[in-house]
């Protein structure tokens, strides 16, 4: 399962984002370090369900809106000097090790300072937070490399020493693959002998590995109270960004649970369908202004941007009956898998189960009812029957 991690300074709205995206019962408060131990839950990427191409809905979507599970991790807020252990820094950074994407939640309103303490809205520059997470992660990873560099130097004395292998061993724990290490080294200028590496060489390696393994999406939170110029400046950065109101999303989801609001996560509008007090109705109308301005609350958009844009994944649906699009029990499109773009039917087989992959024979495109080659590159929304000796 893909893992998305919420990062940012204290009081930027990470826990509210987490609660809104998972509807889990977590502490949300207006003071730093509301979150101490990481919260882990399930949220969902949203896509178009293939059942819209048939006469009847599958029963596993919301009227054609398909939600596919991903992990969401909310960790303690980050303060300057976190890589040196300040605040809950080391704990925070360790929690990011297995994340596929970092959702960098920024207080776009400028209503909290660098420590996460409340200040007057608009008095703190949120752009200071844009590179903050990157810099702390770079310094943290540089520290890990520095502390373990002696082992690389020892290995270099061996006649069959390979720096790619040595660094892959060192960085695997950070989520870097052998390919990531090899690709990073190809972009860097460095001495052949590890003993001659400088601090600058190791810092450059750390930065390149972080960029490859921990891409970021900026979540410009508190868009409902943020000055317009702040949102515009954040959008102009070179990092993918989404304007958002976590408070607004949480209110809509609670309203939907209570049956007073007609809303599905990611919708570009909502309808009030129940009795509300005047203050409740006024609050929802304020949320509507943000939704109309930005095409949603931004919470679902941030998740979808991470999964489908930044990671470039697709959603594929394995079935056993290619005519009815059902599994062995007659359920229509019961499963949805997120796979990297460029994946093949055999990759899907292994995603379903290792035995299915090992026994792979061929695959059928259920839309055309035709056999497809093993090298066929799957596309978003494909419905595929896998034929395997293990089926």
């Amino acid at each position: 399962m893909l893992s998305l991690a919420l990062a940012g300074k204290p009081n930027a709205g990470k826990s509210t984002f987490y609660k809104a995206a998972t509807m889990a019962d977590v502490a949300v408060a207006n003071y730093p370090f509301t979150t101490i131990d990481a919260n882990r839950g399930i949220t969902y990427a949203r896509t178009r369900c293939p059942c819209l191409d048939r006469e009847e809905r599958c029963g596993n979507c919301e009227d054609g809106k398909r939600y596919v599970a991903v992990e969401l991790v909310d960790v303690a807020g980050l303060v300057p000097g976190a890589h040196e252990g300040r605040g809950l820094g080391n704990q925070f950074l360790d929690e990011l090790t297995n994340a596929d994407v970092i959702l960098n939640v920024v207080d776009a309103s400028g209503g909290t300072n660098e420590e996460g303490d409340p200040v007057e809205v608009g008095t703190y520059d949120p752009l200071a937070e844009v590179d903050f997470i990157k810099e702390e992660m770079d310094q943290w990873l540089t520290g890990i490399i520095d502390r373990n560099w002696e082992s690389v130097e020892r290995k270099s004395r061996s006649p069959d020493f390979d720096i790619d292998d040595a660094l892959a061993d060192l960085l695997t724990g950070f989520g870097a693959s052998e390919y990531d290490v090899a690709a990073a080294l190809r972009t860097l200028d460095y001495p052949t002998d590890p003993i001659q590496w400088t601090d600058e060489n190791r810092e450059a390696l750390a930065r390149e590995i972080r960029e490859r393994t921990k891409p970021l999406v900026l979540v410009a939170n508190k868009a409902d109270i943020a000055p317009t110029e702040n949102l515009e400046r954040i959008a102009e950065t070179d990092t993918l960004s989404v304007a958002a109101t976590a408070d607004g999303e949480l209110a809509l989801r609670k309203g939907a649970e209570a049956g007073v609001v007609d809303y599905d996560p990611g919708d570009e509008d909502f309808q009030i369908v129940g009795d509300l007090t005047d203050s409740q109705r006024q609050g929802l109308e304020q949320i509507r202004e943000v939704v109309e301005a930005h095409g949603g609350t931004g919470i679902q958009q941030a998740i979808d941007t991470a999964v489908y844009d930044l990671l470039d994944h697709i959603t594929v649906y394995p079935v056993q009956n290619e005519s009815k699009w059902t599994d062995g029990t007659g359920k229509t499109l019961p499963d949805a898998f997120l796979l990297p773009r460029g994946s093949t039917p055999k990759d899907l087989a292994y995603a379903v189960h290792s035995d299915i992959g090992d026994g792979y024979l061929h695959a059928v495109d259920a839309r055309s009812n035709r056999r497809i080659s093993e090298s066929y590159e799957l596309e978003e929304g494909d419905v595929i029957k896998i034929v395997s000796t293990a089926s």
Side-chain angles (χ1 to χ4, degrees), residues 324-335:
K324 297 181 179 180
W325 293 12
T326 57
D327 66 3
T329 64
K331 295 179 180 177
T332 304
L333 298 171
D335 300 311

Side-chain angles (χ1 to χ4, degrees), residues 33 75-96 136 140:
F33 300 118
V75 297
L78 192 67
V79 295
H83 67 278
E84 297 174 338
R86 187 165 178 266
L88 300 173
N90 288 330
Q91 176 180 332
F92 163 90
L93 292 162
D94 286 344
E95 293 289 352
L96 296 183
E136 287 293 338
W140 172 69

Side-chain angles (χ1 to χ4, degrees), residues 349-361 386-391:
Y350 273 110
V352 173
H353 196 282
S354 59
D355 289 345
I356 302 293
D358 289 342
Y360 177 88
L361 296 174
I386 301 294
V387 180
S388 169
T389 58
S391 297

Side-chain angles (χ1 to χ4, degrees), residues 198-236:
T198 64
D199 291 344
E200 289 74 18
N201 292 138
R202 288 186 286 271
E203 288 174 6
L205 173 64
R207 185 167 52 254
E208 188 67 28
I209 290 296
R210 190 267 308 158
E211 289 177 353
R212 290 181 178 276
T213 63
K214 300 292 179 283
L216 278 81
V217 174
L218 281 176
V219 181
N221 193 33
K222 306 184 184 181
D224 50 325
I225 59 173
T228 301
E229 58 268 26
N230 283 4
L231 295 174
E232 292 175 347
R233 291 166 64 221
I234 292 173
E236 291 172 357

Side-chain angles (χ1 to χ4, degrees), residues 145-146 148-158 161-164 166-167 170 185 190-199 201-202 205:
I145 293 173
D146 286 343
N148 292 278
W149 196 251
E150 187 177 342
S151 66
V152 178
E153 293 179 348
R154 285 198 303 270
K155 291 179 180 179
S156 70
R157 301 187 183 103
S158 171
F161 172 73
D162 185 296
I163 193 167
D164 289 44
L167 293 180
L170 173 61
L185 288 175
Y190 58 91
T192 304
D193 185 353
I195 297 175
Q196 297 177 2
W197 277 50
T198 64
D199 291 344
N201 292 138
R202 288 186 286 271
L205 173 64

Side-chain angles (χ1 to χ4, degrees), residues 41-121:
I42 300 298
T43 189
Y44 300 87
R46 171 175 159 166
T47 190
R48 178 186 185 278
C49 188
C51 73
L52 286 172
D53 298 325
R54 297 170 73 89
E55 292 183 1
E56 296 182 358
R57 301 290 73 81
C58 65
N60 293 299
C61 65
E62 297 295 331
D63 195 26
K65 306 164 190 174
R66 187 74 179 224
Y67 294 91
V68 190
V70 295
E71 182 185 46
L72 186 64
V73 183
D74 173 31
V75 297
L78 192 67
V79 295
H83 67 278
E84 297 174 338
R86 187 165 178 266
L88 300 173
N90 288 330
Q91 176 180 332
F92 163 90
L93 292 162
D94 286 344
E95 293 289 352
L96 296 183
T97 297
N98 295 318
D100 295 296
V101 173
I102 309 297
L103 298 176
N104 184 5
V105 182
V106 173
D107 178 2
S109 75
T112 47
N113 63 21
E114 65 179 8
E115 301 285 343
D117 298 316
V119 295
E120 185 178 347
V121 168

